[in-house]
Structures are given as structure tokens and as C-alpha cells.
Amino acid sequence: MSDRHPTTDDTWVPDACRLPTAEQPVRLAEFDRFFADVVRRLDRPSAQLLRLHLVGTAEAERTARDLTAREAACCSFFTFDITRTGADAVTLDVRVPASHVGVLDGLAERVRPVGTSGSGGSWLRSGQLAGAAGVNPQTLRYYERRGLLVAPRRSPGGHRLYPAESVTRLRVIKTAQRLGFTLGEVADLLHAGRRHRRPSTGGLPAQATAKLAEVERRLADLTAVRDSLRAAISAGCDDLVACAGSSCCPLPFDHT
């Protein structure tokens, strides 16, 4: 979320808003805290619809219902729909008539700074990054300690802020792990890419070749295990001790 003071930018509030002026800064501050602490990401399916993806806690849902109920009572052109889409996921749809699309534009910009820094590009809070990448915040801390993820900056309010490209970095890490690379190997590959030079291990081509050879060895071992189990089943083996003393047992006992 933007670190701007919540009372300095109320352009999304329409001139005709019936909310008493004395309450506007309070409501804006509440919405800013809500955007910062609860909103994971936003979509704009149409000009008249803004969809906010929220964290799925019961407290977040209660806050969303309370805020939207009060806002709807103030500005009747807003239509809010809150839907629980999973154990840890809630969506908030904000709709406006065509005559108030500009208001929705302003609101979207108010939410969008959750990932925007005034001069330093895009930033995400830890909860938003974790949600976008499908990991938990503790994983982010672990990856930082392992040197896989850059240490975040801090907002004036003390929030941890990660560059938006961290989402891609986390996708790379997870993909590499699915391919069998250890975190140490992933760190070496990421380091090589950052320095734009091949590391002592030879970079991705060499490491991929080595990993492929390792996988093929494991496949060969698994194939041998599979064949032995099939042979044991076919032979009717039913007692390992008895099989160990039999010279014709197909199981790979060491008879030395």
C-alpha cells in the first residue's frame, strides 16, 4: 500500500458524496488500512466493476462487510458484493453505474498503490507477495536467509516491501524445485543470472545436464526395484526370511 498520508489524496471521493466532511478523513484512513492489510490484488473485469481479492480471515471479511455497508449508506451508487471463494480467499466486487466510472477509476488508483512506490517502481507487501506466489510469509523469510530472495525495503510505517519482480523470482524457484534442483543449486543459478556470467558449475546448461543424468540414474534404480517386485509377486514370495535362504528367489538378496 502506498505510504501516502490517507488525508492527502481523496480524488476518488465524488463531489456529491453525502459523507460529512468531518468524517471523510476517518473513512479514508479506514479504507487505506483495509487496502494495505487485506487486499491481495485487484482485477478490473469491466469499466464498471472492480474486483478486490482479499485475505480469507474471518476478521478481514467482517471488516469488509462493515466498511462497505457504511459506504453504501453514504454513496448509494456503489454496489458491493462480498463472496467467500475458498478457505483463505474472499472477493469484494465493487460496481458503479456508467455515470460513476470515474469514481471507480479513482478508487482503483487508491487501491493500486498497494504495489506502487512514488519513484522506485512497484512494491508488494509480504502478504501480497506470498499470496501472488502461492507461498506463505514464513517461506519468504526462509528464502531471504538462503539468499534466494533479496531483503525487502521498509516503508515509513515499517512494512516489508518487495519489488514486484519478486513474484517471477518465486515462480522460478518453485519451478526449479519441481525439476529436482536443490535450493543451493537454485541459488547458484539465480546468482549466475544476476551477475550475467556463468558460475563455476557451468550455469543452467551444465546443471540441467547433470540433473538429467541424476534423474536417469534414479529412474534406472526405480525400474530395477519395480522389476524385482513384479518378479517376487509372480513367484509367490510370502516370507522374506524364507526367501533369503532360497537360491531361486528373485529378490536381490546379497548371498555373499
Side-chain angles (χ1 to χ4, degrees):
M1 183 65 194
S2 168
D3 294 309
R4 297 176 300 178
H5 192 280
T7 62
T8 61
D9 183 0
D10 59 358
T11 54
W12 69 275
V13 180
D15 294 336
C17 182
R18 296 188 297 275
L19 185 67
T21 303
E23 293 183 19
Q24 281 191 6
V26 176
R27 186 71 58 78
L28 286 173
E30 287 183 283
F31 269 103
D32 273 350
R33 286 195 298 272
F34 176 75
F35 296 155
D37 297 338
V38 176
V39 177
R40 284 175 167 169
R41 61 185 176 88
L42 74 159
D43 297 324
R44 190 72 179 271
S46 70
Q48 295 173 239
L49 171 61
L50 175 67
R51 176 164 295 149
L52 306 181
H53 298 267
L54 316 179
V55 298
T57 64
E59 180 181 0
E61 185 174 352
R62 283 195 299 271
T63 300
R65 294 188 182 280
D66 174 61
L67 274 177
T68 55
R70 286 187 284 142
E71 192 63 26
C74 163
C75 298
S76 59
F77 57 82
F78 276 126
T79 299
F80 301 101
D81 292 307
I82 299 172
T83 306
R84 176 164 291 279
T85 56
D88 188 36
V90 173
T91 60
L92 166 58
D93 285 352
V94 186
R95 291 182 174 84
V96 297
S99 58
H100 286 81
V101 167
V103 176
L104 197 61
D105 291 340
L107 178 59
E109 288 304 312
R110 189 72 178 181
V111 182
R112 199 180 307 281
V114 76
T116 301
S117 171
S119 60
S122 296
W123 301 86
L124 299 172
R125 287 191 176 180
S126 56
Q128 295 165 329
L129 175 59
V135 300
N136 59 56
Q138 290 73 28
T139 299
L140 302 183
R141 303 286 186 95
Y142 179 66
Y143 285 169
E144 288 170 35
R145 293 194 298 270
R146 293 294 302 264
L148 295 165
L149 198 61
V150 296
R153 56 168 283 193
R154 293 277 184 175
S155 73
H159 299 288
R160 300 163 65 85
L161 299 176
Y162 296 83
E165 57 267 23
S166 298
V167 176
T168 299
R169 193 175 184 85
L170 288 170
R171 288 176 57 203
V172 168
I173 294 170
K174 292 174 66 177
T175 298
Q177 285 186 290
R178 285 196 293 271
L179 291 174
F181 289 103
T182 66
L183 287 180
E185 292 167 337
V186 174
D188 185 71
L189 290 171
L190 290 173
H191 178 75
R194 187 168 60 248
R195 293 296 184 87
H196 301 289
R197 63 179 176 82
R198 292 164 66 90
S200 58
T201 53
L204 180 58
Q207 289 211 42
T209 299
K211 187 60 62 178
L212 176 59
E214 176 186 326
V215 169
E216 288 177 338
R217 287 193 298 270
R218 290 165 58 192
L219 284 173
D221 290 341
L222 287 172
T223 298
V225 170
R226 180 200 63 190
D227 292 345
S228 293
L229 290 172
R230 284 178 173 174
I233 293 171
S234 297
C237 295
D238 60 2
D239 188 323
L240 284 177
V241 175
C243 285
S246 172
S247 61
C248 61
C249 178
L251 291 177
F253 290 105
D254 184 355
H255 292 289
T256 58

